[in-house]
Each structure stands twice: as structure tokens, then as C-alpha cells.
Amino acid sequence: MITISETAQEHFRKLLSQQPEGTNIRVFVVNPGTPNAECGVSYCPPDAVDNDDMHLPFEGFEAVVDQQSVSFLDAAEIDFVSDQMGSQLTLKAPNAKMAKVPEDAPLADRVEYVLQSQINPGLASHGGKVVLTEITPDGLAILQFGGGCNGCSMIDVTLKDGIEKQLLELFSGEITGVRDATDHERGEHSYY
């Protein structure tokens, strides 16, 4: 579920050695399943453990995860890297903003998951986002762009060379193409 690198485990053991006996770490997601999801790691003293928490054993400590965060931390990775600029703990949780959907989930759910977990993080760096509005009976995924993508002159390249190419590859035989339902005329609706 959560991978913690050897260097991160060593870092946690060092930090925990300075804490009261029985203290572990807690890995959590604030606002899970939303665009504002944030992941974190904190100390978890014994009196802060709930009965339904998940316990992940590591050498010398446990990672404790609350039930609400469990599905959003699937495939999460924690690393600790040091270089000439200093040291940094990194936490990558690709499912924090939307819980991973099963392979047998409806096509619309699987497409929306890919949009939220793989495509929107790249669009967000430009202030944009995309959502699925429908999948037509003939397999066209109809998308709605927003934010910085609305009114962007590169939207055709993003749609055809990026999103459509990726969705056709991931959903071969299920998705036949991608269409944009967004009104890209510049106006007050742009960059919302």
C-alpha cells in the first residue's frame, strides 16, 4: 500500500528515537478525494491510535493510517533524499485526489480516474483542468475544460496529441475518440 524507502525509514527511526516510547508515524490525507487533497506525515503517540486504524509494520516502527485515508494512499511512496541543497522528505500519493477505481468499474469511472490522477496534475501547472461529461454509445469521451485551458490556443494539441492519445491507448476497444464540449471563446467564463 505505502512504500517507504530505506533512507526514509532510517530518517523516521532517527526522529522516533527522540520521541516517547511507543510513538510511531501517522500517514494521512486531508480533504481526500478532492482537488485540494494534501498528504502528510506526523508523529503518532500511542494515545492517538484509533481501533480502526491500519498498521503497516516497518523495521523499528509502524506507519498508522486512518480508515478514511487508506484507499487514497494506495500506491503512495515516501522517500528521503539528501543532496548539496539539503535533505527533503517527499510523499507522492497518486490516488489522494481520487481513490483508485477497480479494473471492472464502469468505463466512465475509469476514464474520470485517469483524468483526475494522470492528466489534471499536468493541466493544473497551467491553471487548467478537464472533466468527463459523458461517453457516447459509440465510445466518444466528451470532455469539458476549465480554468487556464478555457480560451487556450494550444487546446487542440492538448486534446488530440495528449489526452486522446493516452485514453485511446489505455482504453483500447472501449474509447473511439475524444471530443471537446468547451466554449473556448475568450470571455468572462475563461480562467474560472
Side-chain angles (χ1 to χ4, degrees):
M1 173 187 177
I2 298 174
T3 303
I4 301 179
S5 71
E6 288 298 325
T7 54
Q9 289 183 48
E10 184 178 315
H11 177 69
F12 288 137
R13 283 190 290 273
K14 182 179 176 184
L15 291 174
L16 291 168
S17 71
Q18 301 166 23
Q19 297 300 310
E21 184 75 29
T23 301
N24 285 295
I25 64 166
R26 178 173 291 283
V27 185
F28 58 91
V29 181
V30 177
N31 299 318
T34 71
N36 300 322
E38 293 288 332
C39 300
V41 178
S42 66
Y43 291 119
C44 183
D47 62 352
V49 176
D50 292 327
N51 290 336
D52 62 349
D53 283 343
M54 177 182 277
H55 297 261
L56 304 171
F58 291 92
E59 187 177 325
F61 68 95
E62 286 186 347
V64 180
V65 181
D66 63 278
Q67 280 301 313
Q68 183 181 5
S69 296
V70 169
S71 63
F72 298 97
L73 289 170
D74 186 39
E77 299 177 6
I78 300 174
D79 197 7
F80 185 75
V81 291
S82 298
D83 58 24
Q84 61 269 32
M85 301 297 289
S87 300
Q88 181 176 356
L89 188 67
T90 61
L91 199 159
K92 295 177 185 171
N95 299 305
K97 294 182 185 323
M98 183 175 186
K100 189 172 182 176
V101 297
E103 290 182 22
D104 63 349
L107 178 60
D109 292 349
R110 291 181 285 132
V111 170
E112 186 64 30
Y113 172 75
V114 169
L115 293 176
Q116 297 303 322
S117 65
Q118 296 178 32
I119 294 172
N120 273 338
L123 296 178
S125 65
H126 301 282
K129 64 180 179 179
V130 65
V131 295
L132 177 69
T133 60
E134 71 172 301
I135 296 178
T136 66
D138 57 348
L140 288 176
I142 310 299
L143 305 178
Q144 180 79 39
F145 287 90
C149 291
N150 196 349
C152 175
S153 62
M154 296 299 291
I155 197 65
D156 290 337
V157 174
T158 300
L159 183 69
K160 290 294 182 185
D161 293 342
I163 297 171
E164 183 175 61
K165 189 175 184 179
Q166 188 171 356
L167 291 180
L168 287 173
E169 184 179 306
L170 290 171
F171 302 102
S172 177
E174 294 180 278
I175 296 290
T176 58
V178 176
R179 296 292 179 270
D180 181 5
T182 311
D183 173 10
H184 286 284
E185 291 296 316
R186 292 191 181 269
E188 290 192 25
H189 64 279
S190 297
Y191 302 98
Y192 61 90

